[in-house]
Amino acid sequence: MIGELINPFVHRRELLPYLEAILRIYNLQGRRDNIHKARIKILVKALGASEFARQVEQEFARIRHNPDLLLDDGAVAEMQRHFAPPPYDPAAVDDSGPLQQQLARDPAFARWFERNTVAHKQPGYRAVFLSLKMPGAAPGDITAEQMNAVADLADRYNFGKIRVTHTQNLLLAHIRQGDLYPLWQALTAIKLASPTVG
């Protein structure tokens, strides 16, 4: 379902009261009788975006000056610190030559690269999906040993982070191009390099 625009701009100082207004309208009118319809998007569709927005704005006008909900610049700066980018290496751009040689030399690696990696906004990096859909295994399953190995690989290659995707795969979001081949070899050794993403 495509999201509906209900307000083109909310000042960051008033973000929490605005979100509170949205949740209050949902709590008052949302569907609680059906687990499949207990979603804000269902309420927006039922009321229509303009009516939902009108009710939210009315509630927002009532609570917008609540000092417990207003954000000051210090609170915003503290939240922003949680979303700082990792310490990317600008020299990673220079890894493309060896990568091209590895891709030309190893067709299995090239197939995995094509299916399980995507371009990254940071030059010299790629995002890598670890497929949890290996032949002969239940989709989404991973052993404790494999998970420990993936944690070690995330520490070594991905700033210590692992994401879980909505498709029951794992994502290492910040892999330096020069580390793709050794990462693929390590994933192959633990049976997590199936080129089955997508």
Side-chain angles (χ1 to χ4, degrees):
M1 183 178 294
I2 296 174
E4 295 281 353
L5 178 66
I6 61 168
N7 189 331
F9 177 80
V10 176
H11 192 279
R12 66 185 185 177
R13 179 174 166 76
E14 296 179 326
L15 182 60
L16 289 181
Y18 201 82
L19 294 172
E20 177 79 13
I22 290 170
L23 288 175
R24 286 181 181 202
I25 298 305
Y26 171 69
N27 284 334
L28 287 171
Q29 298 192 41
R31 296 281 306 266
R32 303 298 173 136
D33 61 320
N34 183 329
I35 193 170
H36 302 292
K37 295 189 177 192
R39 307 280 187 275
I40 291 176
K41 65 183 180 180
I42 301 296
L43 178 60
V44 172
K45 188 172 184 178
L47 290 176
S50 59
E51 176 58 19
F52 181 79
R54 186 194 68 74
Q55 290 183 29
V56 167
E57 289 297 330
Q58 185 177 1
E59 182 64 21
F60 177 59
R62 201 175 69 70
I63 66 170
R64 79 184 301 167
H65 299 294
N66 181 338
D68 295 330
L69 295 174
L70 295 175
L71 296 171
D72 60 23
D73 289 339
V76 171
E78 177 62 28
M79 286 182 228
Q80 287 174 330
R81 278 193 284 279
H82 291 286
F83 296 95
Y88 295 118
D89 181 1
V93 175
D94 300 331
D95 295 338
S96 63
L99 173 63
Q100 293 307 315
Q101 293 170 1
Q102 292 159 340
L103 290 167
R105 188 175 57 238
D106 193 330
F109 173 62
R111 190 169 40 258
W112 174 83
F113 178 87
E114 179 186 342
R115 301 293 301 178
N116 291 50
T117 75
V118 295
H120 196 286
K121 66 181 177 183
Q122 183 68 29
Y125 286 81
R126 290 190 73 81
V128 173
F129 292 92
L130 282 59
S131 175
L132 297 185
K133 292 161 184 71
M134 293 78 64
D141 281 1
I142 186 170
T143 68
E145 292 79 15
Q146 287 172 316
M147 187 58 91
N148 284 331
V150 170
D152 290 341
L153 293 170
D155 284 340
R156 189 176 322 147
Y157 297 119
N158 194 52
F159 307 107
K161 302 280 186 185
I162 303 169
R163 295 182 189 165
V164 178
T165 71
H166 71 285
T167 56
Q168 295 184 336
N169 293 317
L170 300 178
L171 174 65
L172 302 178
H174 314 285
I175 304 297
R176 187 181 167 137
Q177 289 180 134
D179 293 332
L180 288 170
Y181 195 74
L183 174 64
W184 172 74
Q185 289 175 315
L187 292 172
T188 299
I190 60 172
K191 298 182 172 54
L192 287 177
S194 296
T196 56
V197 172

